[in-house]
Amino acid sequence: MDSTIGEGGSLVALMLDMEARNGRLALFADIIGEKITIERSALRARAVAPGVAGAVGAAADLQFQMAIVEAGAAYEVGTIGTVAFDVLAGARYWYQKMDLGIDLAGTVDLGDLAIGRGRAIARSGSVDWIDAFAGVRARVSLAPNHHLELRGDLGAGGSRFTWQALAAYAYDFKTTNGVTYSAVIGYKALYVDYVQGSGRSRYEFDMLQHGPVIGMSVRF
């Protein structure tokens, strides 16, 4: 995937995280949307004899879309100094859709006569499943207006195994009318091992997604 995207594909990913807290109890939700587009083409031509030449061309267009919706609750079990510890549990819904198009074309040039033939193949399909998870979280107040969050969880259900880890730092840069605006930077990793079917109908998604998280937090 890394090499293919670098040669003409594209990757778009958006994430929205929400949390509502009342005392020790908090409810949270997380939505992730991704779209990967890969386009590749190739052409091979060869002269097999004087006045006889042939060419074969192929073009592929792949679109992979994924949505992940997470919801759950967290409960503060205690504090040590400026660190608050939460236990959390919830469910994570996965939806994936793939559209694949392949165009094949071949020509034979016999001097003044050219013979050509082409074929287009299109396939699409989707899968979805739900995993339950449980984990822990630490919320650290480093200094006034400086906050750190560390989170980890494990789960399974529709998939064989899944885990998530997050480390994020937030800086409160403005408070107006009871609304606090924060800049957030961190790193997130999300892994899942999902298998469905067998033989030619087998589908497996065994992947670790990870990367930096940059955004803005609004608390009110």
Side-chain angles (χ1 to χ4, degrees):
M1 194 175 294
D2 291 337
S3 61
T4 306
I5 290 177
E7 297 176 5
S10 64
L11 168 62
V12 178
L14 299 174
M15 180 176 69
L16 174 65
D17 183 79
M18 299 164 284
E19 181 170 333
R21 175 173 292 275
N22 183 13
R24 292 176 177 268
L25 180 65
L27 302 177
F28 60 86
D30 186 78
I31 302 173
I32 301 175
E34 301 179 23
K35 182 177 181 180
I36 298 173
T37 301
I38 298 173
E39 298 179 353
R40 300 297 297 271
S41 61
L43 177 65
R44 296 290 184 270
R46 187 174 181 180
V48 296
V52 181
V56 177
D61 180 7
L62 170 68
Q63 288 192 356
F64 176 78
Q65 302 176 60
M66 179 165 63
I68 308 170
V69 180
E70 173 186 295
Y75 185 78
E76 183 181 304
V77 294
T79 60
I80 300 177
T82 60
V83 184
F85 296 93
D86 299 334
V87 293
L88 51 90
R92 191 174 295 129
Y93 171 75
W94 298 74
Y95 173 81
Q96 298 178 352
K97 181 182 179 182
M98 182 178 294
D99 298 299
L100 174 64
I102 300 176
D103 291 323
L104 303 174
T107 61
V108 177
D109 191 350
L110 304 173
D112 295 333
L113 177 63
I115 302 173
R117 187 171 183 180
R119 183 178 182 184
I121 302 172
R123 294 289 186 271
S124 64
S126 64
V127 295
D128 64 334
W129 70 91
I130 298 177
D131 290 323
F133 66 85
V136 295
R137 178 173 64 175
R139 294 176 288 114
V140 186
S141 179
L142 300 174
N145 302 326
H146 296 266
H147 312 278
L148 180 65
E149 178 179 330
L150 303 173
R151 171 186 167 175
D153 64 67
L154 304 172
S159 72
R160 296 193 289 192
F161 181 63
T162 181
W163 63 262
Q164 179 177 231
L166 170 69
Y169 163 78
Y171 171 68
D172 304 337
F173 62 86
K174 184 177 182 180
T175 299
T176 304
N177 299 324
V179 181
T180 301
Y181 299 88
S182 307
V184 180
I185 185 171
Y187 204 88
K188 180 174 182 175
L190 177 60
Y191 170 80
V192 67
D193 182 6
Y194 174 79
V195 177
Q196 172 184 285
S198 61
R200 295 184 62 185
S201 62
R202 176 184 173 90
Y203 175 72
E204 180 173 359
F205 187 81
D206 183 0
M207 183 174 289
L208 171 64
Q209 303 176 85
H210 61 94
V213 176
I214 302 174
M216 186 178 73
S217 169
V218 180
R219 302 198 309 273
F220 55 88

